[in-house]
Amino acid sequence: MKKFVFALAVGMAPSLAFSQPVSSSSSQGTLAKAQQTNPLLRPPANTNNEMLDGTQRVTTANGITQPLSSLLEQQINVANYGATAGNADSGVAVRKALTTATNRFPVYFPYSPRGYTINSGTYNGREIGTWLLNGNVISGKAIGSPATGAGTLISPYTNPYLITTDRKSVYDPAAIPQGRKGATIAESIECLPNRPNRQNENTNRNWIACRYVGADTGSGGTSSLDLSTEVENWVLNVSGNHGLAFEIDTNFNAAVTDGQWTTGLFLTGGGAKGRNVNSVALSIMHAAYDGSWLPWTTGISIRETTNQIQQYKTSAGESGFFQQAFDENGKSISWLDKMGNQTSQIMNAKNGFISDAPSGHDDYSAKRQTTTDTGFFFHALDEHSNTLASIDKEGNATVAGFVNTNHNKETASANCTRGEMHADDEKLYICVSTGKYKSVPLQEIH
């Protein structure tokens, strides 16, 4: 019978108990000596002087007996298939390891500061399974060129510009048979319901998070250095079918009796005051890849809600804006500040509303709906609620301290609208019901 010698790592030895006895104490001494002098351990010959060939059955520390080859293959190590660190091509070994891992066992790359080179083999980035890259630098012709968007093997196929450094997992939930209803999920992370824990120091409080992902941006940033950190990056490539990049469901299955708010999406940011930094809780950029404008796109769409948007200031002295809008040059064109003042000219001109309409258009137009429509097109009040100026929907105007010098030297034959009044340095002109002016010299008015 053809025999093979398996080299077992020292770290695995304590978890294995060989079911076939080793007879002599000299073998145990040899074993101990080998542990001291050699990082790889060769098992001693069994009682029949046969070397281990993988068919022998071994029992783990948990009492599970199985063939040695099955135990060793539960994590596919590329080194066991001939991969070597450095510049030598390990493509054949990696392909063999991948073929063996068709049952989705992890493919493991032992760490080496020299990394691994893969020049042979063909990969498309969709190889199913888990790759434990362990921070190795993987290079070579067969992994594509991520810098040009053609990365394979260690690059996500949804974004081949990126390089995976430690672990990559590829799933195919669409290949799993489905019933009439339901959905297959590649990975499920689920937590049991929150509940009081009487072992807590504060038994009235129990906060949990089902999943936490965190990252620090690090220090060392300068105005000439761009260091960008993303905690998570979700990508959905739309190629003919609809989909959701991210879905949040908040289901009310019972009354919320703790009296607190339930929130579908909560955005927060904080730090010590006075940092003088630019910070955006939610940033939406919806444009073409080159930054140009896309027609008929929506940044936020809100439907079927009682209140679409609510904005609050938390104190009387809180400053800033509820909303700000800018033109293509970054100049403010409109805003609503937290004092309730609106338009872009508030801070500069101290006017509540200023409008410049394009040539040939009305600055402002108001229309009544019916002949019986009452109220005002415009109504201005003083601090005592007295009318300072108004235009009602009958066209009547009231202006305190009325001044109108727009016309002068009107003639009695000129057509006019009843109620018009004009004055110049000589006369006062009043339009009567005939649609003509009557005038009186100002010197006759005392």
Side-chain angles (χ1 to χ4, degrees):
M1 178 176 66
K2 189 174 180 180
K3 303 177 179 58
F4 300 88
V5 177
F6 285 79
L8 299 181
V10 172
M12 185 180 290
S15 66
L16 299 178
F18 291 93
S19 59
Q20 299 184 10
V22 178
S23 58
S24 66
S25 60
S26 61
S27 296
Q28 297 177 354
T30 303
L31 183 64
K33 187 175 182 180
Q35 288 177 325
Q36 297 175 2
T37 60
N38 196 328
L40 292 179
L41 176 63
R42 290 187 187 277
N46 61 20
T47 55
N48 297 323
N49 292 322
E50 292 180 352
M51 301 302 292
L52 296 175
D53 59 8
T55 62
Q56 285 79 10
R57 299 181 65 81
V58 295
T59 303
T60 66
N62 294 320
I64 304 301
T65 301
Q66 57 187 304
L68 176 62
S69 59
S70 174
L71 183 63
L72 295 178
E73 288 178 355
Q74 289 180 17
Q75 178 165 284
I76 307 302
N77 189 328
V78 294
N80 292 336
Y81 293 83
T84 58
N87 295 326
D89 181 19
S90 295
V92 174
V94 170
R95 174 53 65 183
K96 288 181 179 179
L98 176 62
T99 302
T100 305
T102 52
N103 52 3
R104 306 190 183 203
F105 288 154
V107 177
Y108 174 78
F109 285 74
Y111 174 74
S112 171
R114 296 182 297 164
Y116 294 85
T117 301
I118 305 176
N119 286 326
S120 59
T122 302
Y123 307 93
N124 59 17
R126 298 176 181 236
E127 290 75 22
I128 295 176
T130 299
W131 297 77
L132 303 178
L133 302 171
N134 294 307
N136 284 291
V137 176
I138 310 294
S139 59
K141 300 176 181 178
I143 69 166
S145 54
T148 64
T152 61
L153 185 64
I154 60 174
S155 293
Y157 78 86
T158 55
N159 194 342
Y161 289 90
L162 304 179
I163 298 175
T164 306
T165 61
D166 288 276
R167 185 180 72 172
K168 176 188 174 184
S169 296
V170 180
Y171 307 104
D172 188 12
I176 308 301
Q178 281 188 16
R180 183 177 297 273
K181 296 182 178 180
T184 49
I185 302 173
E187 183 181 21
S188 176
I189 300 175
E190 202 164 15
C191 298
L192 294 179
N194 194 9
R195 55 198 179 276
N197 190 332
R198 296 308 168 193
Q199 300 180 44
N200 289 352
E201 182 176 348
N202 181 353
T203 57
N204 292 324
R205 178 184 181 274
N206 203 47
W207 292 6
I208 66 171
C210 195
R211 184 167 182 249
Y212 175 83
V213 180
D216 289 337
T217 62
S219 59
T222 65
S223 59
S224 61
L225 184 64
D226 185 0
L227 299 174
S228 178
T229 301
E230 295 179 351
V231 176
E232 291 205 32
N233 187 329
W234 299 82
V235 177
L236 172 66
N237 293 330
V238 180
S239 304
N241 298 316
H242 74 283
L244 291 172
F246 196 85
E247 178 180 348
I248 299 175
D249 292 330
T250 301
N251 300 318
F252 293 92
N253 299 323
V256 181
T257 57
D258 62 3
Q260 302 301 313
W261 287 88
T262 299
T263 306
L265 176 63
F266 177 68
L267 302 174
T268 183
K273 63 181 181 180
R275 297 296 187 186
N276 192 28
V277 298
N278 296 319
S279 177
V280 179
L282 175 63
S283 177
I284 299 175
M285 183 177 67
H286 204 30
Y289 291 138
D290 61 1
S292 61
W293 178 68
L294 282 174
W296 303 110
T297 62
T298 303
I300 297 178
S301 177
I302 304 174
R303 296 182 297 175
E304 299 179 21
T305 63
T306 302
N307 299 314
Q308 293 192 345
I309 296 178
Q310 287 185 328
Q311 297 170 299
Y312 298 86
K313 66 176 184 179
T314 59
S315 65
E318 184 174 296
S319 60
F321 300 89
F322 287 129
Q323 293 182 13
Q324 263 187 306
F326 303 89
D327 65 11
E328 65 277 11
N329 299 314
K331 179 182 177 181
S332 295
I333 55 176
S334 67
W335 65 55
L336 175 63
D337 68 16
K338 290 186 176 180
M339 297 300 294
N341 299 313
Q342 188 172 357
T343 77
S344 61
Q345 300 296 324
I346 297 173
M347 300 302 294
N348 297 328
K350 305 299 182 183
N351 293 322
F353 182 83
I354 287 182
S355 174
D356 292 319
S359 177
H361 293 75
D362 297 331
D363 280 27
Y364 180 80
S365 179
K367 183 179 179 180
R368 70 179 184 182
Q369 300 301 311
T370 65
T371 56
T372 58
D373 193 7
T374 60
F376 296 88
F377 290 128
F378 173 79
H379 199 180
L381 308 173
D382 67 10
E383 65 275 14
H384 302 297
S385 297
N386 298 316
T387 297
L388 294 175
S390 68
I391 302 176
D392 65 21
K393 291 187 177 180
E394 293 295 324
N396 301 312
T398 299
V399 180
F402 177 79
V403 175
N404 188 337
T405 59
N406 194 36
H407 294 205
N408 54 38
K409 296 183 179 179
E410 298 288 358
T411 64
S413 62
N415 295 326
C416 59
T417 301
R418 182 169 64 94
E420 284 187 23
M421 290 191 303
H422 308 289
D424 55 27
D425 291 340
E426 298 178 1
K427 295 180 179 181
L428 171 67
Y429 307 91
I430 302 175
C431 186
V432 296
S433 59
T434 61
K436 302 296 181 179
Y437 285 108
K438 287 190 175 182
S439 62
V440 57
L442 292 181
Q443 64 184 9
E444 297 183 10
I445 300 176
H446 300 285

